[in-house]
Amino acid sequence: MKKNIFKRSLQTKILGLVIALILSIILFLSSIFAYMDSQIIMENSRKIGSQTAKTISFMPSVQAAFEEENPSLTLQPTAMRIQEQVDANFIVIEDRDGRILTHPDTNQIGKINPINDNYKAIVFAGYYTLHSDEHVGKAIVGKAPIINENKQIIGVVTVGFLYEEIVISIMNRIKKILYFALGAILVGVIASIILARNIRKDTLGLEPRQIATLYRDQNAILSSINEGLIAIDTANKITLINQTAKMLLDLTGDFVNKPIHYAIPNLSVVNLIKNKWTNSTLELVVNNRDIILTIVSIKDGDKEVGTVITFRDKTEMKKMINTLSEVKKYSEDLRAQAHEFTNKLYAISGLLQLGYSEEAIEMIQNEIDITENNNRLVFEQIKDPKVQGIILGKIGKASEKKIAFQVDENSSLEILPEHIETGQLTTIIGNLIDNALEEVGKLKGEKNVSFFALDLGQDIIFEITDNGSGIPDEEIDHIFKKGFSTKKKDGRGYGLANVSEAVHDLGGTIEVDSGGHGTTFTVYIPKRI
Amino acid sequence: MKKFFSVLTIAAVALLAACSSATTGSDEFPKKDIELVAPATPGGGWDGTARAIQKILKDEKIVDQNINVVNKPGGSGEVGWQYLSKQDAHSLAINSSLVLTNNLLGQSELTFEDFTPLAILTTEWISIAVPNDSKFQNATEIMEQLKEDPTSLKIAVAPGLGNNDHLSFVQAAKTYGVDVTKLNFMIYESGGDVVTALLGGHVDVATMAVSESKEQHVAGKFRIVSVSSDERIEGLEEVATWQEQGVDMVFPHWRGIMGPPDMTEEEIAYWDKVIGEMVETEAWKTLLKNNEWSSYYLDSEKTVEFLKEQNANYDELLSESGLTD
């Protein structure tokens, strides 16, 4: 049963609450009002009673009537007339002994009343009001002594208002109040229905329980994803920011309801708006971190209600990209090697079938020599397995492209320090060699690429040389910039920028020397950070 | 809310400060002439009391300010007291038990709680007198007769029903077990008329202040048979009190002094000091002697208690018939 109360819909809850509230307020106010009202009615009855009694007691005709044989004859009509005028329930005049002279019920006239209630008037000439049931019923009565010209007390006037009647008039008043109250309750009910509907509209028809569940789920989801996420409203105020976003942007504290530029200072509004419509990504440097933002606008129907910005650390992305590219390259390089090997096998097979066994043997011998030479160089001079791997792959690739790839025999490289990661190496060496291969691939005639590595001093030195056509002077300053490419293809142009970034990350430098007869890239990486 | 309350508190404190700075110390009070209201025409007990107080306070240099007596007659004190209730602490008025009974008998909306009672000063005692040739030797005999037939005696009283002379007789009769609703009171304009009626044999009994009856009694014109005091009165040693005659009642007709409502502690203290000094002076004692008044001084604090007690007594007397049906 109790459970059910909390399972009720929002509308029922609001309605119940509002009605309870209005009812209690109205009941409270009505009872106060009714109480005050009845106090006023009582007080009025009391006042009118005492004033009327006084007035009658002062009337000379009333005083004179007591001298007559039968005072009632004069007094009764007078008393009844005044009773009508002041709306009293009864006016009773008694003489000193309590004999009734006027009474609304004429049968009572002439009877003797006990004078308990008249005591103060008869003995002390007092004017007063009291609660009495001596005459007609329970009533509030005003009493006044009738005094003759000798200042003696000859009788008492009693003007009474019956409680029943007072209660009835109070009830009538309360009825009126209740009509108003009912009206107010009705208005309250209608208002609360409207309110409930309105709230439901705001909550997309969801019940608070559902909203709470969604909110909990959302929090769980937000904290579980490792992308930074910031939602902003139409005024560019942050409505939501997850933990990863704070971590990436190096923020602490509560950022909800603060303008977006508090969190991402260099995200210009123009950028924001432009990217919102294109749903494109945008790269920014925040806190010396490269982040890539994706900006998507949230729409309710066709109305824009806010924007979601998701972003990730580019270094992380780069790692992934690098890993991916490494895998791709290795497989590519392996494919190249296999292809090359197959080609050579075809050649040897061809030679043998044609009976040129001498040439075939020579070719095999050559192949062995080249491979051995290369391998010897690679494996003897270059001790680092990561670099070995990269170089071996590239040798295959070069061989397929009919490019002479040489590892300089003066190379010497011990195991690299641990802080140099495979990804970075792949980025630096792989990209530079790929660029060189590509560059010389355009040439007719001799195509040479050579690789040289040395780690004798404080620095590790890699040098990649090609005999390509070189880089024009006007472009030499831009080659390391993002998006720059001499190759007019989409999605390219990050190669050298990434190389340069990786080199800088390792605290190294990169130099390029390009004449009209090829290009040499030299990379210096300090052994200690 | 907290803020609101603190603002309120500050305002209240400021207000209090303003109030107290307006009346810094009793040495500041009084700041102007004192007005003494006698709620009656010149010549009566209230007027006499007011003028005596004025004279003594000036002559004895108890008060530096001028004191003016103002007569505001009407409505058994009602007019004067209504006037006082709208004045500041520099106005005082003489009062008596009427300040209680007026309210109880529906003659006035005002009662002692609407004022600042300062002191009870004096009391008069009330006597019961009979003509010389009356068959009654004492008050008990009168009461016995009334118990038999409450209507059988004409009782003189002035100036109207509900005053002390009347009330004291009714209380005595009621205490004795008389049906007071049947008593036959003859109402006269003044104490003088009552004396005349008694001397002329128009009435059987009269109730009046000792100061009004003593002279005639001493001169042997009529006899006082009872007084409402607790002890026999000087000069009337042969007259027994009600208590001695088996009616357990002491009925003072006291007079006092009061100020307007809401007087401050300092102002009340000032008047306590002044009146306390005044009732100690020889001049005051002489005044009491000359008027047949007894000293009955109570300070402001005791006065309030006394008035509450008196009010309850009067209420009982006026409301409860004591009749057993």
Side-chain angles (χ1 to χ4, degrees):
Chain A
M1 203 63 215
K2 197 176 172 192
K3 244 184 187 169
N4 282 348
I5 287 176
F6 297 105
K7 280 261 159 41
R8 296 237 192 288
S9 75
L10 184 68
Q11 178 145 339
T12 323
K13 262 190 200 169
I14 290 179
L15 211 62
L17 269 174
V18 170
I19 289 173
L21 194 72
I22 289 179
L23 262 179
S24 54
I25 287 174
I26 282 177
L27 271 176
F28 179 67
L29 284 178
S30 298
S31 40
I32 285 182
F33 195 75
Y35 173 77
M36 282 166 67
D37 216 35
S38 52
Q39 289 296 95
I40 287 170
I41 290 176
M42 286 291 240
E43 184 59 20
N44 280 346
S45 306
R46 213 175 59 75
K47 272 209 178 110
I48 293 169
S50 80
Q51 283 165 0
T52 310
K54 234 180 215 173
T55 309
I56 294 171
S57 76
F58 291 153
M59 285 165 75
S61 64
V62 170
Q63 291 170 12
F66 277 83
E67 307 296 324
E68 295 166 13
E69 187 67 36
N70 188 350
S72 286
L73 292 178
T74 316
L75 293 175
Q76 176 73 3
T78 310
M80 291 310 106
R81 182 165 48 82
I82 295 172
Q83 182 181 310
E84 285 306 310
Q85 282 167 349
V86 299
D87 262 340
N89 298 112
F90 59 88
I91 292 182
V92 175
I93 300 178
E94 295 153 284
D95 68 9
R96 264 197 72 154
D97 304 323
R99 187 185 312 279
I100 295 172
L101 302 175
T102 79
H103 197 290
D105 176 4
T106 46
N107 296 331
Q108 298 288 327
I109 293 176
K111 290 192 178 161
I112 305 258
N113 237 354
I115 52 167
N116 280 346
D117 287 350
N118 292 351
Y119 174 74
K120 205 191 264 196
I122 284 174
V123 181
F124 304 102
Y127 298 84
Y128 54 105
T129 54
L130 76 166
H131 305 288
S132 149
D133 53 0
E134 264 186 7
H135 296 290
V136 177
K138 267 198 181 317
I140 189 160
V141 298
K143 287 194 182 272
I146 302 169
I147 297 170
N148 66 8
E149 61 256 25
N150 296 332
K151 294 195 187 167
Q152 287 172 309
I153 295 158
I154 48 178
V156 180
V157 185
T158 306
V159 179
F161 290 88
L162 287 172
Y163 276 125
E164 288 172 45
E165 300 288 327
I166 294 173
V167 168
I168 286 169
S169 64
I170 289 172
M171 282 297 164
N172 286 338
R173 296 286 301 249
I174 291 176
K175 242 185 235 166
K176 269 185 199 158
I177 296 170
L178 280 181
Y179 286 137
F180 280 113
L182 278 175
I185 290 170
L186 205 67
V187 169
V189 169
I190 291 165
S192 66
I193 289 173
I194 292 169
L195 176 72
R197 289 229 172 118
N198 195 301
I199 290 175
R200 280 189 71 106
K201 207 179 106 197
D202 284 350
T203 59
L204 309 175
L206 291 172
E207 292 293 333
R209 260 175 309 108
Q210 295 168 294
I211 296 169
T213 312
L214 282 174
Y215 182 75
R216 272 197 302 270
D217 293 354
Q218 185 205 41
N219 267 350
I221 291 164
L222 284 179
S223 54
S224 69
I225 58 174
N226 48 15
E227 279 201 348
L229 194 144
I230 297 178
I232 53 175
D233 60 14
T234 45
N236 291 341
K237 289 229 171 74
I238 297 174
T239 56
L240 188 149
I241 178 164
N242 76 346
Q243 206 45 47
T244 318
K246 284 187 181 174
M247 200 186 70
L248 286 178
L249 301 172
D250 209 12
L251 301 174
T252 46
D254 189 18
F255 272 80
V256 171
N257 271 337
K258 292 201 172 133
I260 181 71
H261 68 256
Y262 276 46
I264 314 177
N266 48 357
L267 175 64
S268 68
V269 177
V270 176
N271 255 335
L272 194 65
I273 292 167
K274 194 179 76 188
N275 283 282
K276 211 158 32 184
W277 301 120
T278 56
N279 283 354
S280 59
T281 54
L282 170 77
E283 222 176 297
L284 281 180
V285 178
V286 182
N287 279 333
N288 302 324
R289 236 189 249 267
D290 239 343
I291 56 171
I292 293 183
L293 300 91
T294 309
I295 299 169
V296 180
S297 62
I298 313 166
K299 289 201 175 70
D300 181 13
D302 51 1
K303 203 172 118 235
E304 200 204 5
V305 291
T307 311
V308 173
I309 303 167
T310 53
F311 50 91
R312 29 193 343 164
D313 193 345
K314 196 181 154 199
T315 32
E316 241 182 77
M317 273 177 83
K318 221 160 47 202
K319 270 187 201 158
M320 278 169 47
I321 291 165
N322 288 345
T323 316
L324 196 64
S325 65
E326 256 176 86
V327 171
K328 258 180 156 170
K329 277 178 185 148
Y330 277 130
S331 69
E332 174 65 23
D333 294 349
L334 284 171
R335 192 201 54 74
Q337 255 180 324
H339 180 232
E340 186 60 7
F341 197 65
T342 314
N343 278 349
K344 282 177 177 145
L345 285 178
Y346 278 132
I348 290 165
S349 152
L351 286 172
L352 288 175
Q353 281 173 20
L354 293 170
Y356 297 111
S357 52
E358 293 282 325
E359 284 82 348
I361 288 164
E362 196 182 331
M363 187 175 170
I364 292 166
Q365 200 57 55
N366 262 348
E367 207 53 46
I368 288 169
D369 282 351
I370 291 167
T371 311
E372 269 195 350
N373 187 33
N374 264 343
N375 285 3
R376 189 176 45 79
L377 279 174
V378 171
F379 288 109
E380 282 177 17
Q381 321 292 94
I382 295 169
K383 298 277 198 307
D384 187 85
K386 295 178 251 180
V387 181
Q388 283 175 359
I390 295 165
I391 297 300
L392 281 176
K394 296 303 174 197
I395 286 170
K397 193 174 180 178
S399 160
E400 185 193 26
K401 290 188 169 177
K402 300 286 175 287
I403 293 164
F405 184 89
Q406 270 140 1
V407 177
D408 195 300
E409 46 196 64
N410 296 321
S411 290
S412 152
L413 188 71
E414 293 300 315
I415 304 272
L416 290 176
E418 274 179 28
H419 71 265
I420 301 174
E421 292 168 15
T422 318
Q424 290 169 315
L425 275 180
T426 315
T427 304
I428 297 166
I429 302 169
N431 269 318
L432 289 174
I433 294 176
D434 282 350
N435 280 351
L437 292 177
E438 213 155 328
E439 189 58 36
V440 297
K442 294 184 236 172
L443 298 175
K444 311 274 186 288
E446 224 181 313
K447 305 172 184 183
N448 290 325
V449 173
S450 68
F451 173 83
F452 167 73
L454 192 68
D455 65 348
L456 292 179
Q458 295 295 316
D459 291 338
I460 298 152
I461 302 166
F462 297 116
E463 205 167 70
I464 290 96
T465 310
D466 66 62
N467 66 339
S469 52
I471 303 161
D473 282 349
E474 63 269 18
E475 283 178 3
I476 201 109
D477 293 335
H478 304 298
I479 53 165
F480 294 116
K481 290 210 175 128
K482 282 197 178 98
F484 175 84
S485 176
T486 53
K487 309 177 273 282
K488 298 284 172 279
K489 281 186 198 165
D490 280 343
R492 304 295 296 263
Y494 281 102
L496 280 175
N498 290 345
V499 171
S500 142
E501 203 177 321
V503 172
H504 286 299
D505 280 350
L506 291 168
T509 50
I510 182 162
E511 286 174 4
V512 57
D513 173 33
S514 180
H517 55 287
T519 310
T520 302
F521 282 93
T522 314
V523 176
Y524 302 88
I525 298 168
K527 288 182 182 170
R528 291 209 185 86
I529 302 169
Chain B
M1 208 63 195
K2 243 184 182 162
K3 216 174 194 171
F4 171 73
F5 273 124
S6 64
V7 167
L8 211 65
T9 314
I10 290 164
V13 168
L15 204 68
L16 283 173
C19 286
S20 54
S21 69
T23 57
T24 19
S26 52
D27 54 336
E28 288 273 334
F29 180 85
K31 292 196 281 286
K32 55 181 187 186
D33 289 0
I34 305 292
E35 187 177 49
L36 204 47
V37 179
T41 47
W46 276 336
D47 182 62
T49 309
R51 288 182 195 281
I53 291 170
Q54 174 197 30
K55 189 170 181 317
I56 294 164
L57 292 182
K58 280 321 290 182
D59 292 353
E60 304 287 327
K61 301 205 170 25
I62 298 172
V63 177
D64 305 335
Q65 262 73 13
N66 281 325
I67 302 172
N68 307 313
V69 173
V70 191
N71 291 94
K72 299 264 176 196
S76 313
E78 173 77 359
V79 175
W81 296 328
Q82 282 282 9
Y83 168 81
L84 175 72
S85 68
K86 295 173 186 71
Q87 304 304 306
D88 68 5
H90 291 84
S91 293
L92 305 179
I94 308 297
N95 65 10
S96 75
S97 57
L98 283 175
V99 85
L100 309 176
T101 54
N102 281 0
N103 177 267
L104 293 170
L105 292 175
Q107 312 276 17
S108 170
E109 290 293 315
L110 294 170
T111 181
F112 73 102
E113 284 164 337
D114 299 312
F115 297 97
T116 310
L118 293 173
I120 302 294
L121 296 170
T122 64
T123 179
E124 278 195 76
W125 300 109
I126 293 150
S127 59
I128 307 297
V130 293
N132 272 337
D133 57 6
S134 171
K135 60 176 177 177
F136 302 119
Q137 294 309 309
N138 57 39
T140 318
E141 289 172 19
I142 298 173
M143 290 299 161
E144 279 300 330
Q145 163 103 24
L146 290 173
K147 210 169 173 175
E148 285 294 313
D149 181 3
T151 61
S152 61
L153 297 177
K154 288 179 186 163
I155 309 153
V157 66
L161 299 177
N163 68 3
N164 275 300
D165 299 349
H166 177 235
L167 293 185
S168 72
F169 191 92
V170 171
Q171 185 168 357
K174 194 170 152 185
T175 312
Y176 206 86
V178 175
D179 178 0
V180 294
T181 63
K182 304 263 195 296
L183 290 176
N184 188 5
F185 281 101
M186 309 296 286
I187 294 100
Y188 292 89
E189 285 293 325
S190 67
D193 293 350
V194 173
V195 171
T196 310
L198 199 59
L199 291 174
H202 303 301
V203 292
D204 303 307
V205 187
T207 171
M208 59 185 131
V210 172
S211 60
E212 290 168 328
S213 62
K214 189 179 175 185
E215 201 183 324
Q216 305 291 339
H217 170 85
V218 171
K221 300 282 170 86
F222 56 62
R223 289 184 283 121
I224 299 178
V225 291
S226 175
V227 287
S228 67
S229 53
D230 48 350
E231 289 168 5
R232 292 203 180 196
I233 293 168
E234 206 181 321
L236 290 175
E237 285 83 358
E238 68 280 9
V239 180
T241 63
W242 278 116
Q243 283 179 318
E244 288 176 82
Q245 300 180 64
V247 177
D248 187 13
M249 175 190 96
V250 174
F251 203 103
H253 175 188
W254 51 265
R255 291 197 182 92
I257 193 160
M258 65 186 180
D262 305 323
M263 280 170 73
T264 64
E265 300 268 335
E266 288 93 345
E267 291 161 351
I268 294 171
Y270 171 84
W271 284 115
D272 265 338
K273 184 169 77 67
V274 166
I275 296 165
E277 274 179 51
M278 180 189 77
V279 297
E280 292 301 316
T281 59
E282 281 307 313
W284 180 254
K285 287 167 182 158
T286 313
L287 173 85
L288 297 188
K289 217 178 184 66
N290 295 345
N291 284 292
E292 291 294 340
W293 295 339
S294 306
S295 179
Y296 205 79
Y297 176 66
L298 298 173
D299 67 10
S300 60
E301 200 179 326
K302 290 205 179 71
T303 299
V304 174
E305 275 173 47
F306 175 78
L307 288 179
K308 279 182 185 159
E309 193 184 307
Q310 285 279 304
N311 201 51
N313 292 346
Y314 279 124
D315 194 27
E316 190 186 340
L317 169 66
L318 297 175
S319 307
E320 293 169 25
S321 61
L323 294 176
T324 44
D325 294 285

